[in-house]
C-alpha cells in the first residue's frame, strides 16, 4: 500500500445524526475516521442500517455533517461550501446507486441522462463535443453508441447499471462512491459489473468507495475494507487483514455468513451469531487498537486482549 | 404406485409444461417444456438468472399466474391426502386458478415471497394475520388458533411471542418480518412450501439464519420445499436436488453433489464460476458474457449458444435433448453427446473443484 501518499479523502470523527423527535435522535454515523488513497478501492461493509449510505451521502455533501472533518483532495468540504468548492465536488466526486431504474429518468434518453452532469457544470465545448464524450464513455462501459437514443426501461438490470457507471465516469471524477451498485443484480451479472469497474479503474486511475452489505464481492474489488456496525467503524484493514485475520466478533459473524458454493461445507455450517448487547460490547467505550500497521479494531483494552487471544 | 417402503412419495410431478404470455409486442414463450419432480420431505432448488422462468413456474402451481398468461400444454400432478384421509392426485392445470387458490393455497401449498413487506398487511396485527388461515381452513376456535399461533411464533424464532402477537409489521425488523411470513405459510401445515427468493432482500447474516430456520422446520414437519434463487451459495446450503433453468427450460438437473462437484452444462459452469470464492486469491471473476435471450423471438437451437464459448455448430441449429449422464444427472447440452469433442471446464472452476477434491481426500484420511 502506498501509505506515504497524501490521502485523496481524509475523514475524521465524522458524525451524522438525524433528529427524529424532540427527544429522539438517530445516530446514523457516530464518529468514524478513515483515509482513502488515490487509485485504490475502499470497501465499506456492514448490515443494513449500519450507516453506510449515510456515510456516502454525507461525504458527497447531500447532508451537512453533524460533526467531524472531511478533507477531499486537500480541500475541507465539511463546512459551508464556497461556490468553487461546490463545483469541484460536483465534478470530482460522483455516486452510483443500487437501483439503476429508480434513479434513471424514464422519460429521458440515455444520451440526455449521461450528458446531464456535463451540461450542468458546462464541461464541454459544443454539442458535438458533448455527444462524443457520451459515445466514448458508452463504449468504455461495454455499450454501443446506438444505445444513446434508447430509454432506460429498454435495458436489462446489468445494462442499466452500466449506464449508471457511465453517467458517473463521464465527469472524469477523482472519487466514485458506489452505494450497493451491484446488490440488485444476478450473481453472474455482478461479476460482469465488478470486472468492468476494475478495468475502468486500471485505465482511468479512478478511486472507489465501494459500499456493500455482502462481503464476498467486496473482496474482489477492494484493496482495503472498513467494517461498519451501528454507525461505528469496528474494524479496518487490508482485504487480506479482514479475510485472513478478522478480530472483531462482528466481522467474524459477517464472514461466517458468506455462502460458499460447496454443499458439503454449507450443509454442516451454522453461521455465527453476534449480538453486541448480549456480549456487553459498548462501541462508545472502545478506542482504536492497532493489530498491525494496516489493521485496526475498535475495542476496549480488555476486549482487544480477549479477541486477539481467540 | 408401489407400496414398498423405500419408494419415495411423489407429491408433485410436472410434465412438458409450456406457458406463454400475450403482450403488446407479441407472445413471450416463458416456459418451454419443464419437467420436475418433488418428493416428500425433500428440497429442490430452481436456480437461474432473472427472467429464466423460475417464478412463472411456481406461480402456476399456486394458481396465481398473471391474467395474460396461458398454459399451452403439459400437466402438474399434485398428490395429497384429503380431509377424509384419502390419497388423491389432481392435475392442477385442469383446475381454474380460483379453484387452486380456494382448495389448495395455504392449506396444502404455501408460499414465501422475496419481500416480506408486500406479503404482510400493514394494518393488521401479526397475530391476526397468522390466525386468519387457521380459522378459514382448519376450523379451529379462536383460542385454539391463538395457542397455535403463539407456538408457531416461537418455532420461527421470534422472542416474546405474546408481545409480538399484537404488534404490527412495521414494528419488526426485516428479518423478523420474514419469520412472520414463514409462520403464516406454515400456519395450516402445508405439504409443499414454495420459497421464491425468500432471503434476497435480507442481510447475509440474517439470510443464513432464515435458511437454517426453514431447514429445521422442514425436517420437523416433513414438508417438501421448492426453493427459488439465483444464488448458488443458498442452493448449496438448502437443496437435495437442483434444477438449473435457462430461458424457460431446465438445462441441467441432478442431486446436489452431481451439480456442484460434477457440473456438465457450460451455463452451470458459468453460474458456479462467477460466484465469488473467498478461499482463493484470484483477483478476477469469471463472468458469463452477454445477457439472456429475448423470449419474444423464436429460439433456434440451444438458447444458450450465443453466450456459450464452447458452443458447437449444431447448438445453433438443433435444441439439445436431455442426455442421461448417469445417476440422477441429466444435461441438455450437445457436449454430452458421445460424438462431441472433449472440453475443459473454465480455469477458476477447475481450480476450485480440484481444491475441494483435495480437501475431501484429506478429510477422509
Ligand atoms: N434521512 C434520514 N432521516 C432519518 N433517519 C435516517 C435517514 N437516513 C438514514 N437514517 C437512519 O440511519 C440509520 C443508517 O441508515 P443507512 O445509512 O441507510 O444504513 P445502511 O446504508 O448501512 O443500510 C438507519 O437507522 C436509518 O433508518
Ligand atoms: N405477466 C407477464 N407478462 C409478460 N411476460 C411475463 C409475465 N410474467 C413473466 N413474464 C416473462 O416470463 C419470463 C420468466 O419470468 P420469471 O418467471 O418471473 O423469471 P424469474 O426466473 O426471474 O423468476 C420473463 O421473460 C418475463 O419477462
Ligand atoms: Mg444503504
Ligand atoms: Mg422471480
Amino acid at each position: 500500500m502506498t501509505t506515504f501518499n497524501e490521502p485523496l479523502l481524509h475523514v475524521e470523527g465524522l458524525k451524522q445524526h438525524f433528529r427524529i423527535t424532540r427527544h429522539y435522535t438517530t445516530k446514523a454515523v457516530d464518529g468514524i475516521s478513515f483515509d482513502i488513497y488515490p487509485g485504490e478501492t475502499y470497501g465499506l461493509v456492514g448490515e443494513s442500517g449500519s450507516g453506510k449510505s449515510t456515510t456516502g451521502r454525507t461525504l458527497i455533501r447531500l447532508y451537512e455533517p453533524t460533526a467531524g472533518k472531511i478533507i477531499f483532495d486537500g480541500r475541507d468540504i465539511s463546512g459551508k461550501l464556497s461556490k468553487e468548492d461546490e463545483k469541484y465536488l460536483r465534478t470530482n466526486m460522483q455516486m452510483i446507486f443500487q437501483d439503476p431504474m429508480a434513479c434513471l429518468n424514464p422519460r429521458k434518453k440515455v444520451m440526455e441522462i449521461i450528458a446531464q452532469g456535463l451540461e450542468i457544470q458546462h464541461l464541454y465545448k459544443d454539442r458535438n463535443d458533448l455527444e462524443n464524450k457520451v459515445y466514448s464513455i458508452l463504449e468504455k462501459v461495454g455499450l454501443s453508441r446506438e444505445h444513446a437514443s434508447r430509454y432506460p426501461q429498454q435495458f436489462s438490470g446489468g445494462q442499466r447499471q452500466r449506464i449508471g457507471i457511465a453517467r458517473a465516469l463521464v465527469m472524469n471524477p477523482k472519487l466514485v462512491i458506489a452505494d450497493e451498485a451491484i446488490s440488485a443484480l444476478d450473481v453472474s451479472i455482478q461479476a460482469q459489473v465488478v470486472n468492468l469497474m476494475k478495468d475502468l479503474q486500471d485505465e482511468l486511475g479512478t478511486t472507489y468507495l465501494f459500499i456493500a452489505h455482502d462481503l464476498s464481492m467486496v473482496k474482489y474489488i477492494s484493496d482495503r475494507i472498513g467494517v461498519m456496525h451501528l454507525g461505528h467503524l469496528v474494524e479496518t484493514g487490508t482485504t487480506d487483514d479482514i479475510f485472513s485475520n478478522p478480530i472483531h466478533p462482528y466481522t467474524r459473524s459477517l464472514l461466517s455468513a458468506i455462502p460458499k458454493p460447496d454443499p458439503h461445507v454449507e450443509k454442516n455450517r451454522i453461521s455465527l451469531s453476534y449480538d453486541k448487547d448480549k456480549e456487553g460490547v459498548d462501541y462508545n467505550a472502545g478506542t482504536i487498537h492497532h493489530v498491525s500497521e494496516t489493521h485496526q479494531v475498535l475495542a476496549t483494552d480488555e476486549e482487544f486482549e480477549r479477541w486477539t487471544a481467540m | 404406485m408401489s407400496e414398498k417402503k423405500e419408494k419415495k412419495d411423489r407429491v408433485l410431478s410436472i410434465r412438458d409444461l409450456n406457458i406463454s404470455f400475450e403482450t403488446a409486442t407479441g407472445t413471450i414463450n416463458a416456459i418451454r417444456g419443464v419437467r420436475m419432480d418433488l418428493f416428500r420431505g425433500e428440497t429442490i432448488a430452481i436456480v437461474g438468472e432473472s427472467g429464466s422462468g423460475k417464478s412463472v413456474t411456481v406461480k402456476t402451481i399456486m394458481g396465481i399466474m398473471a391474467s395474460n398468461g396461458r398454459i399451452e400444454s403439459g400437466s402438474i400432478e399434485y398428490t395429497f391426502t384429503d380431509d377424509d384421509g384419502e390419497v388423491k392426485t389432481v392435475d392442477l392445470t385442469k383446475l381454474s386458478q380460483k379453484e387452486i387458490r380456494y382448495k389448495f393455497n395455504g392449506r396444502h401449498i404455501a408460499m414465501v415471497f422475496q419481500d416480506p413487506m408486500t406479503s404482510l398487511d400493514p394494518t393488521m396485527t401479526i397475530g391476526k394475520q397468522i390466525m386468519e388461515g387457521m380459522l378459514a381452513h382448519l376450523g379451529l376456535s379462536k383460542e385454539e388458533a391463538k395457542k397455535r399461533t403463539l407456538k408457531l411464533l416461537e418455532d420461527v424464532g421470534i422472542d416474546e411471542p405474546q408481545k409480538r402477537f399484537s404488534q404490527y409489521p412495521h414494528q419488526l425488523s426485516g428479518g423478523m418480518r420474514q419469520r412472520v411470513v414463514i409462520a403464516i405459510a406454515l400456519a395450516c401445515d402445508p405439504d409443499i412450501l414454495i420459497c421464491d427468493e425468500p432471503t434476497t432482500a435480507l442481510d447475509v447474516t440474517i439470510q443464513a439464519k432464515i435458511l437454517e430456520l426453514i431447514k429445521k422446520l422442514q425436517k420437523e414437519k416433513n414438508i417438501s420445499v421448492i426453493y427459488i434463487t439465483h444464488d448458488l451459495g443458498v442452493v448449496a446450503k438448502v437443496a437435495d436436488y437442483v434444477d438449473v433453468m435457462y430461458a424457460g427450460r431446465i438445462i441441467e438437473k441432478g442431486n446436489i453433489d452431481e451439480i456442484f462437484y460434477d457440473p456438465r452444462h457450460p451455463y452451470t459452469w458459468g453460474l458456479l464460476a462467477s460466484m465469488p470464492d473467498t478461499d482463493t486469491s484470484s483477483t478476477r471473476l469469471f463472468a458469463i458474457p452477454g445477457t439472456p435471450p429475448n423470449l419474444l423471438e423464436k429460439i433456434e437451437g440451444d438458447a444458450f449458444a450465443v453466450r456459450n464459448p464452447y458452443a458447437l455448430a449444431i447448438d445453433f441449429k438443433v435444441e439439445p435433448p436431455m442426455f442421461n449422464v448417469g445417476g440422477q444427472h441429466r444435461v441438455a447440452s450437445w457436449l454430452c453427446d458421445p460424438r462431441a469433442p472433449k472440453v475443459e471446464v473454465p480455469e477458476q472452476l477447475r481450480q476450485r473443484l480440484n481444491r475441494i477434491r483435495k480437501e475431501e481426500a484429506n478429510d477422509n484420511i
Side-chain angles (χ1 to χ4, degrees):
Chain A
M1 204 50 44
T2 42
T3 33
F4 31 84
N5 270 355
E6 278 293 304
L8 175 64
L9 184 76
H10 172 72
V11 178
E12 205 178 303
L14 186 68
K15 288 187 183 180
Q16 186 66 59
H17 295 180
F18 296 109
R19 202 160 139 184
I20 309 294
T21 65
R22 219 142 53 88
H23 307 287
Y24 186 70
T25 301
T26 299
K27 297 179 175 175
V29 177
D30 205 18
I32 64 172
S33 306
F34 61 101
D35 290 319
I36 303 182
Y37 293 92
E40 78 167 342
T41 298
Y42 192 89
L44 192 59
V45 298
E47 67 190 35
S48 50
S50 52
K52 307 179 299 294
S53 295
T54 304
T55 301
R57 291 193 193 124
T58 307
L59 295 177
I60 206 164
R61 285 303 308 273
L62 293 176
Y63 304 134
E64 175 109 13
T66 307
K69 224 185 209 148
I70 309 169
I71 312 287
F72 177 53
D73 204 13
R75 297 166 190 244
D76 186 336
I77 56 160
S78 26
K80 186 155 171 31
L81 295 174
S82 68
K83 263 228 150 63
E84 198 216 319
D85 283 343
E86 167 113 32
K87 180 172 165 113
Y88 189 80
L89 185 64
R90 296 291 160 241
T91 311
N92 285 291
M93 201 190 283
Q94 294 293 322
M95 202 146 173
I96 308 172
F97 299 92
Q98 164 167 12
D99 184 358
M101 196 57 190
C103 61
L104 298 177
N105 185 335
R107 275 183 295 276
K108 284 201 170 143
K109 289 184 176 158
V110 168
M111 170 60 81
E112 297 169 79
I113 289 169
I114 296 179
Q116 193 178 31
L118 295 173
E119 283 179 319
I120 292 172
Q121 304 297 343
H122 307 291
L123 296 174
Y124 61 101
K125 286 201 279 296
D126 50 31
R127 193 71 212 166
N128 205 16
D129 179 46
L130 182 67
E131 289 185 0
N132 281 332
K133 282 190 159 124
V134 173
Y135 290 144
S136 134
I137 199 75
L138 274 175
E139 270 161 32
K140 275 208 172 68
V141 300
L143 296 169
S144 64
R145 31 169 68 213
E146 287 77 56
H147 288 124
S149 54
R150 295 199 200 158
Y151 293 93
Q153 60 272 33
Q154 294 173 283
F155 294 88
S156 69
Q159 285 175 322
R160 285 202 286 265
Q161 204 47 281
R162 288 173 194 264
I163 298 170
I165 293 171
R167 187 176 60 160
L169 290 182
V170 77
M171 305 299 287
N172 196 18
K174 292 200 158 83
L175 178 68
V176 169
I177 301 175
D179 188 358
E180 307 274 6
I182 59 165
S183 305
L185 304 173
D186 276 348
V187 182
S188 53
I189 307 296
Q190 285 186 359
Q192 284 183 5
V193 175
V194 164
N195 284 341
L196 170 70
M197 286 184 69
K198 273 192 148 175
D199 291 344
L200 291 169
Q201 184 173 52
D202 288 345
E203 187 184 334
L204 306 170
T206 320
T207 307
Y208 293 141
L209 172 59
F210 191 86
I211 298 176
H213 66 274
D214 169 5
L215 260 168
S216 52
M217 280 292 173
V218 170
K219 178 182 179 226
Y220 276 85
I221 196 161
S222 305
D223 299 297
R224 291 189 303 132
I225 292 173
V227 180
M228 210 170 165
H229 192 217
L230 300 174
H232 296 267
L233 260 179
V234 297
E235 185 159 2
T236 60
T238 64
T239 301
D240 192 48
D241 290 334
I242 298 296
F243 275 84
S244 307
N245 186 26
I247 302 293
H248 200 284
Y250 181 65
T251 310
R252 291 183 187 198
S253 77
L254 279 184
L255 287 170
S256 86
I258 299 175
K260 291 196 166 64
D262 184 348
H264 291 181
V265 173
E266 276 304 320
K267 291 251 151 70
N268 299 314
R269 198 163 56 111
I270 300 290
S271 54
L272 297 174
S273 297
Y274 168 70
D275 182 333
K276 85 177 205 336
D277 298 328
K278 275 187 196 145
E279 304 197 20
V281 179
D282 175 3
Y283 291 151
N284 289 312
T287 56
I288 300 297
H289 284 67
H290 290 261
V291 183
S292 70
E293 207 178 315
T294 56
H295 189 178
Q296 289 90 27
V297 182
L298 179 69
T300 62
D301 292 346
E302 182 274 324
E303 284 162 354
F304 186 71
E305 205 157 297
R306 188 151 45 89
W307 295 340
T308 46
M310 286 210 284
Chain B
M1 273 241 158
S2 117
E3 302 296 335
K4 270 193 235 147
K5 264 274 169 319
E6 67 265 30
K7 183 106 186 162
K8 296 185 291 184
D9 287 338
R10 198 199 322 250
V11 286
L12 204 64
S13 161
I14 303 179
R15 293 290 176 273
D16 304 318
L17 190 65
N18 283 282
I19 293 171
S20 65
F21 290 98
E22 233 30 83
T23 70
T25 40
T27 306
I28 294 177
N29 298 304
I31 304 296
R32 306 181 302 126
V34 161
R35 178 195 174 102
M36 196 181 290
D37 289 295
L38 180 64
F39 294 93
R40 172 153 333 278
E42 290 182 345
T43 300
I44 56 177
I46 309 178
V47 62
E49 282 168 288
S50 328
S52 56
K54 308 181 297 291
S55 295
V56 170
T57 304
V58 296
K59 280 183 179 167
T60 311
I61 302 171
M62 294 289 292
I64 52 170
M65 189 173 61
S67 57
N68 61 330
R70 201 172 77 189
I71 300 177
E72 301 282 353
S73 61
S75 61
I76 303 175
E77 291 193 337
Y78 169 52
T79 304
F80 65 105
T81 309
D82 74 3
D83 293 339
D84 305 325
E86 208 175 310
V87 177
K88 284 194 174 146
T89 296
V90 290
D91 182 351
L92 296 176
T93 65
K94 299 285 185 298
L95 304 182
S96 72
Q97 298 220 103
K98 225 173 156 177
E99 231 174 322
I100 298 178
R101 292 201 296 267
Y102 180 73
K103 281 198 188 142
F104 297 107
N105 283 17
R107 177 72 186 91
H108 293 279
I109 307 176
M111 189 152 170
V112 174
F113 295 94
Q114 173 172 346
D115 182 2
M117 227 30 202
T118 58
S119 33
L120 292 175
D121 182 341
T123 66
M124 231 204 256
T125 63
I126 284 151
K128 264 224 172 88
Q129 298 192 48
I130 300 176
M131 277 168 46
E132 213 179 23
M134 294 180 187
L135 295 171
H137 290 297
L138 302 182
L140 298 182
S141 72
K142 267 219 158 120
E143 292 84 82
E144 286 172 313
K146 176 159 188 189
K147 221 172 110 198
R148 217 179 131 100
T149 299
L150 291 174
K151 166 83 171 56
L152 207 50
L153 282 172
E154 209 180 299
D155 285 350
V156 298
I158 292 184
D159 291 340
E160 303 178 84
Q162 281 284 358
K163 182 175 140 203
R164 300 299 186 190
F165 186 90
S166 43
Q167 283 187 328
Y168 291 88
H170 73 265
Q171 293 173 286
L172 302 185
S173 68
M176 282 300 147
R177 279 184 215 134
Q178 196 60 302
R179 285 172 196 261
V180 171
V181 174
I182 293 170
I184 293 174
L186 296 177
C188 300
D189 267 334
D191 312 321
I192 301 178
L193 179 67
I194 298 175
C195 303
D196 190 349
E197 312 254 7
T199 57
T200 306
L202 302 175
D203 285 321
V204 279
T205 43
I206 300 163
Q207 160 172 300
K209 292 290 164 215
I210 295 283
L211 297 180
E212 283 157 20
L213 170 71
I214 294 175
K215 260 172 64 177
K216 173 179 138 294
L217 294 169
Q218 166 179 37
K219 258 216 187 102
E220 286 169 10
K221 299 176 190 288
N222 197 29
I223 43 185
S224 313
V225 178
I226 301 179
Y227 220 104
I228 291 187
T229 176
H230 65 267
D231 186 342
L232 281 160
V234 170
V235 177
K237 197 168 177 86
V238 301
D240 302 308
Y241 294 93
V242 186
D243 286 318
V244 184
M245 224 171 157
Y246 188 77
R249 285 197 92 200
I250 290 169
I251 52 92
E252 179 161 9
K253 65 196 305 170
N255 69 36
I256 185 97
D257 286 359
E258 288 164 344
I259 299 296
F260 278 86
Y261 302 128
D262 186 21
R264 301 289 181 91
H265 198 291
Y267 179 62
T268 314
W269 294 345
L271 283 184
L272 281 165
S274 59
M275 259 205 86
D277 184 344
T278 47
D279 292 336
T280 59
S281 52
S282 154
T283 55
R284 209 174 163 77
L285 284 161
F286 179 90
I288 302 173
T291 48
N294 184 349
L295 297 173
L296 272 170
E297 282 149 28
K298 187 165 163 37
I299 288 169
E300 198 104 27
D302 182 350
F304 188 57
V306 285
R307 298 172 75 187
N308 183 3
Y310 305 92
L312 308 169
I314 190 173
D315 279 311
F316 294 93
K317 295 194 198 94
V318 186
E319 178 127 67
M322 267 285 179
F323 289 93
N324 181 342
V325 297
Q328 292 156 306
H329 203 171
R330 305 287 179 272
V331 187
S333 163
W334 283 115
L335 288 177
C336 296
D337 189 287
R339 291 162 293 180
K342 199 156 164 33
V343 298
E344 286 283 358
V345 302
E347 183 62 27
Q348 283 98 330
L349 183 59
R350 195 169 61 231
Q351 281 177 12
R352 186 193 301 166
L353 290 174
N354 285 340
R355 199 192 60 239
I356 291 172
R357 282 184 198 122
K358 236 187 253 151
E359 284 169 8
E360 303 254 299
N362 287 340
D363 286 349
N364 290 339
I365 293 172

